[in-house]
Amino acid sequence: VPDAEIDFVSATSAEPILDRTTSQQSRSTYLWILLFLLPFLVLYLGFTLWPLVATAAYSTFDWDGIGALSRFVGLGNYLTIAADPTFWRSLSNTLIFALLNTAIKLPATLFLAVLLTRRWLWMKRFFRTIFFLPVIIPVSVAGLVFTYLLNPSNGALNAFLRASGLVHQPVDLLGHDGTAILVLALISVWQIFGQYLVYWMAALQMVPADLYDAAEIDGCGEWAKLIRITLPLILPIAVIIAMLAFINALYVFGLVVTLTSGGPGHATYVMSYFIYVEAFSQIPFRYGYASAAALLYGLLALVFIASQAHLVRRTGENRRAYAE
Amino acid sequence: MRANLIAVLVLSGIGFLWTYPFLWMVSAAFKTQLGVFSGGAGLIPQPLELGNFARAWKSAGFSVLLFNTVFYATASATIEVIKSSTCGYVLARYEFPGRRLLYWLVVATLFVPLATVLLPQFLLVERLGLLNTRAGVVLGQSSGAGALYVLLFVHFFRRIPQDLFDSANLDGASFPRTFLLMLPLARPVIAVVVIFQFLQSWNDFNVPLVYTIGQPSLQNLAVGMFAFQGAHANDWSGFAAATLMSLLPVLAVFLAFQGYFVGGLAGAVKE
């Protein structure tokens, strides 16, 4: 869920500039600085930096987690991965899922956020609550509920379709290679919807109300206001929200475990699930192999993030140039 | 007026579909097991069954799961606020050797996928002897989005006017005292961190799944409910009752702080 924060641009666009020269800091000040950094540093070293190094190191060993790291295989694990169809399927599934999920949830949540922030609309609070609601359901529980609703024998969907005469044979949406990943993406949209709704609503609050008033005097309708005022003004934040949306979709895990266990076949294997299965859920554990996959996955995420961060920064610069 | 009617009608229709899984769960919690099985898409429990709640409470070890979930969410949110506010404060206002390096490391590791670092984290927790303990889960959960929270605090503390610090210095405020004076100003950031981390932990499936495999009594709701369903595959009415009970507390929290949630985010954006 939390994914992250809207104010990503300004938080990362420049490193902090100190207002004063602080060269004559006393010894006790340095001690306090160290003390203040300590809680973060300890956890950061133990749970982020060291694990990154360790993952890289493990990936060059053939290791089942029992005993010492002794069978060095160099790039052997990577060569095995390159020839592993399940890995490639997981990779393409992850990208397909992330693209589908993002392409559906972003426009839908933006549209609804715009609608739910119109001054004229009735029952705004009620609808906001309704559409936010699924966020509070743990992902795994959402997955279980949908396995029941969608199950082909007596789930609600099939009961409805049959009662209305739309189908005669039960439909098994999660049991088909072609539809499973799409259904997964849609359920994920349902679950995460409220979070992006809130992001957009926060972004929309930044648009000064008097701009709309002026536009109304000029006779602009809702559509014109959206295209000419709202969208250009929230663009820098929109790019960040899009980035967060895509990155978070790349990390999908819980829904896959509870809805499909990667199936049918490998139709919904995604990267995090592939790594989890290799490392934790099949015996013998393949820690070395899982680590190689984990590192490749991290690099993939990094490439996407770096390219999108570049886009974020450029949008910010364009906007600044435009403002001047 | 006409636009309003159309919008409200369309929204109500979609809203009904949207909440259908909820409504189904609520109704299933009051159905008999047979009623769930034969009930199809219907939402009216027929016949009405009230024993599901007691059964779920007992057989899911539900009170323990609920306690664990609240404990993990509260503890990891507290840890995140402490470690990211102190670190962000120092990074934003003080010069020290390695400051630039630390700042850029934090930025570079903003979005490391959990799956990339989970195995070494797991081995570290195991070596510390904390596997299958609550402390282990809290540690595992308090490392994920930490970098992001630090940047939020850096950004906030950087924008506090220098005058405030100067006057605190003139009053002879010590280093920790100055920090405690500034911290309340960061309320919007603290709110965002708490809400994000609380929800993150509440929904977390991966860390508790891996860290508590040997100890069902330490699982949170997300993992425990999954295990409950695995063990009682046919008891959907019990599952629905358990789910409903697990959602009520967080629903109450959400309804109470709903305004704060949007407000806090919007505040952070405006800053």
Side-chain angles (χ1 to χ4, degrees):
Chain A
V1 165
D3 339 288
E5 154 51 14
I6 299 234
D7 202 4
F8 181 72
V9 176
S10 32
T12 57
S13 57
E15 70 177 307
I17 300 147
L18 296 183
D19 297 343
R20 54 179 174 168
T21 50
T22 40
S23 51
Q24 327 90 320
Q25 280 170 167
S26 69
R27 243 194 140 113
S28 76
T29 307
Y30 276 118
L31 273 179
W32 277 114
I33 289 174
L34 189 64
L35 197 66
F36 267 51
L37 288 175
L38 214 54
F40 178 78
L41 278 183
V42 169
L43 282 165
Y44 187 65
L45 285 175
F47 285 84
T48 303
L49 285 188
W50 179 78
L52 280 173
V53 177
T55 297
Y58 296 161
S59 75
T60 60
F61 286 86
D62 178 13
W63 188 37
D64 60 4
I66 301 161
L69 284 164
S70 53
R71 283 198 301 281
F72 181 75
V73 293
L75 294 177
N77 284 323
Y78 293 96
L79 296 175
T80 319
I81 280 183
D84 184 345
T86 312
F87 171 81
W88 291 108
R89 187 77 205 264
S90 309
L91 187 65
S92 68
N93 278 342
T94 307
L95 294 177
I96 291 171
F97 174 89
L99 282 174
L100 276 175
N101 181 265
T102 311
I104 299 167
K105 78 184 167 194
L106 279 187
T109 46
L110 173 60
F111 178 78
L112 197 66
V114 171
L115 189 58
L116 290 180
T117 45
R118 293 307 88 189
R119 260 173 288 179
W120 47 263
L121 187 76
W122 297 334
M123 305 201 293
K124 280 195 279 273
R125 258 185 89 89
F126 172 73
F127 286 125
R128 260 179 225 181
T129 308
I130 293 263
F131 287 101
F132 187 85
L133 214 51
V135 167
I136 65 170
I137 303 190
V139 167
S140 60
V141 174
L144 291 170
V145 170
F146 274 97
T147 48
Y148 196 87
L149 292 178
L150 298 181
N151 89 60
S153 56
N154 58 348
L157 179 72
N158 274 293
F160 173 76
L161 289 178
R162 259 180 298 183
S164 59
L166 287 170
V167 296
H168 301 290
Q169 293 300 311
V171 192
D172 188 5
L173 289 174
L174 285 171
H176 279 292
D177 202 308
T179 50
I181 196 94
L182 174 66
V183 175
L184 207 64
L186 285 174
I187 294 174
S188 169
V189 168
W190 177 80
Q191 204 269 333
I192 206 74
F193 200 83
Q195 202 175 327
Y196 288 88
L197 195 60
V198 170
Y199 286 177
W200 287 124
M201 281 171 27
L204 290 173
Q205 285 191 8
M206 292 177 59
V207 182
D210 43 357
L211 280 183
Y212 290 128
D213 296 338
E216 262 166 39
I217 293 169
D218 290 347
C220 284
E222 288 293 347
W223 185 251
K225 279 192 277 182
L226 179 68
I227 300 290
R228 296 208 200 127
I229 301 176
T230 314
L231 290 184
L233 275 175
I234 63 169
L235 185 65
I237 290 178
V239 179
I240 299 161
I241 295 177
M243 170 172 165
L244 292 176
F246 187 76
I247 291 166
N248 281 306
L250 284 179
Y251 298 166
V252 58
F253 177 74
L255 267 186
V256 173
V257 176
T258 51
L259 269 172
T260 62
S261 306
H266 292 127
T268 53
Y269 257 68
V270 290
M271 285 304 294
S272 56
Y273 187 70
F274 175 78
I275 296 162
Y276 168 78
V277 169
E278 295 293 339
F280 294 107
S281 86
Q282 62 177 25
I283 292 173
F285 301 135
R286 296 168 76 191
Y287 282 2
Y289 192 65
S291 295
L295 198 67
L296 290 176
Y297 177 46
L299 287 176
L300 175 84
L302 188 67
V303 168
F304 275 110
I305 292 158
S307 53
Q308 291 182 44
H310 179 71
L311 188 68
V312 168
R313 202 158 299 171
R314 246 192 28 207
T315 318
E317 275 161 14
N318 284 348
R319 189 173 179 235
R320 234 165 283 140
Y322 178 75
E324 282 159 12
Chain B
M1 182 71 185
R2 207 187 57 191
N4 218 336
L5 267 178
I6 295 172
V8 167
L9 274 177
V10 171
L11 282 176
S12 304
I14 301 175
F16 174 74
L17 277 180
W18 211 252
T19 39
Y20 180 82
F22 267 103
L23 300 175
W24 178 83
M25 225 153 49
V26 174
S27 98
F30 293 99
K31 285 175 177 170
T32 59
Q33 292 186 32
L34 185 68
V36 173
F37 193 74
S38 60
L43 290 176
I44 312 293
Q46 184 75 291
L48 200 65
E49 162 71 50
L50 295 171
N52 296 323
F53 292 91
R55 188 174 71 255
W57 184 275
K58 259 186 289 175
S59 63
F62 184 77
S63 47
V64 178
L65 295 182
L66 189 62
F67 171 80
N68 290 340
T69 312
V70 173
F71 179 82
Y72 295 146
T74 314
S76 72
T78 311
I79 292 177
E80 284 297 352
V81 168
I82 293 174
K83 81 179 178 34
S84 53
S85 65
T86 53
C87 179
Y89 175 74
V90 167
L91 274 177
R93 307 299 307 199
Y94 291 89
E95 186 58 71
F96 56 90
R99 187 179 69 92
R100 282 173 61 102
L101 176 71
L102 179 60
Y103 184 81
W104 286 113
L105 271 179
V106 169
V107 171
T109 53
L110 251 187
F111 290 109
V112 175
L114 177 63
T116 298
V117 288
L118 186 62
L119 181 60
Q121 287 183 351
F122 170 82
L123 295 172
L124 177 68
V125 167
E126 189 183 35
R127 225 161 285 169
L128 290 171
L130 294 175
L131 207 57
N132 291 317
T133 66
R134 290 203 176 88
V137 177
V138 171
L139 269 184
Q141 287 188 341
S142 307
S143 52
L148 183 70
Y149 303 148
V150 168
L151 290 185
L152 285 183
F153 276 109
V154 169
H155 185 61
F156 182 86
F157 283 126
R158 201 165 86 197
R159 287 163 154 252
I160 294 182
Q162 183 59 34
D163 302 358
L164 273 176
F165 281 84
D166 291 342
S167 59
N169 280 342
L170 279 179
D171 291 347
S174 61
F175 186 104
R177 178 98 190 102
T178 314
F179 171 71
L180 289 178
L181 283 173
M182 301 303 162
L183 192 59
L185 301 177
R187 254 195 314 263
V189 182
I190 296 175
V192 169
V193 172
V194 167
I195 292 168
F196 274 26
Q197 184 62 29
F198 197 89
L199 273 178
Q200 160 87 13
S201 166
W202 190 275
N203 286 319
D204 188 13
F205 183 71
N206 208 337
V207 167
L209 177 72
V210 172
Y211 285 27
T212 63
I213 269 178
Q215 272 293 342
S217 64
L218 297 178
Q219 287 166 351
N220 67 350
L221 282 165
V223 177
M225 299 292 286
F226 183 56
F228 173 81
Q229 218 287 317
H232 306 82
N234 293 317
D235 189 2
W236 279 97
S237 51
F239 170 75
T243 305
L244 198 56
M245 286 189 285
S246 75
L247 290 182
L248 286 181
V250 70
L251 185 64
V253 170
F254 166 67
L255 289 177
F257 291 99
Q258 191 187 13
Y260 213 51
F261 190 84
V262 182
L265 261 181
V269 174
K270 273 188 194 154
E271 286 306 329

